[in-house]
């Protein structure tokens, strides 16, 4: 039951935070900087695969240790996981694409660290109380 609660809490927390961020950043931050690199419409299937895998990673790499070592450990591990994952995507794009904004790279890495840390902390709290 603990792992189900952790997964659901992480999914809800990360999903809500990311929806807020993307709702604002899509038209106001990404589109002006990335323009024609962006798809015309959102593709649900790859997004769902990403979110399922990423939430599982949050639970495994941040919540699981956080249940033993405390919420601080979950938040720290979440921040590290988020920064590394988002840096992998953005720095690869910056290395391989003709036009990739450094501002997008910096903002994405910061966002990944923050949102993943928050989701990990919330999920650890929920799992320790409910699970």
């Amino acid at each position: 039951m603990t792992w189900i609660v952790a997964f659901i809490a992480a999914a809800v927390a990360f999903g809500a935070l990311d929806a807020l961020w993307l709702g604002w950043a899509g038209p106001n931050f990404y589109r002006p900087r990335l323009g024609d690199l962006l798809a015309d419409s959102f593709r649900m299937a790859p997004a769902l695969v990403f979110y399922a895998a990423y939430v599982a990673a949050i639970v495994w790499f941040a919540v699981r240790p956080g249940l033993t070592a405390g919420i601080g450990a979950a938040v720290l591990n979440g921040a590290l996981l988020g920064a590394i994952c988002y840096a992998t995507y953005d720095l690869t794009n910056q290395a391989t694409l003709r036009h990739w904004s450094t501002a997008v790279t910096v903002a994405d890495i910061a966002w990944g660290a923050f949102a993943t840390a928050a989701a990990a902390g919330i999920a650890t709290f929920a799992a320790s109380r409910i699970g």
Side-chain angles (χ1 to χ4, degrees), residues 13-129:
F14 189 79
L17 288 169
D18 219 33
L20 289 171
W21 169 251
L22 293 174
W24 174 83
N28 298 301
F29 184 72
Y30 293 120
R31 179 97 26 216
R33 287 165 181 80
L34 301 176
D36 62 346
L37 287 175
L38 297 177
D40 291 332
S41 62
F42 181 74
R43 297 182 189 125
M44 184 62 75
L48 290 175
V49 172
F50 163 74
Y51 283 110
Y54 196 67
V55 168
I58 292 170
V59 171
W60 183 260
F61 292 111
V63 176
R64 185 178 57 88
L67 289 172
T68 303
I71 289 177
V75 170
L76 175 62
N77 288 335
L80 293 171
L81 174 68
I84 291 166
C85 289
Y86 279 66
T88 300
Y89 171 78
D90 282 280
L91 293 173
T92 298
N93 285 340
Q94 204 157 19
T96 61
L97 298 177
R98 226 175 274 229
H99 305 289
W100 188 264
S101 167
T102 300
V104 169
T105 296
V106 171
D108 273 357
I109 293 169
W111 174 253
F114 168 77
T116 308
I122 290 165
T124 301
F125 178 81
S128 67
R129 297 294 185 268

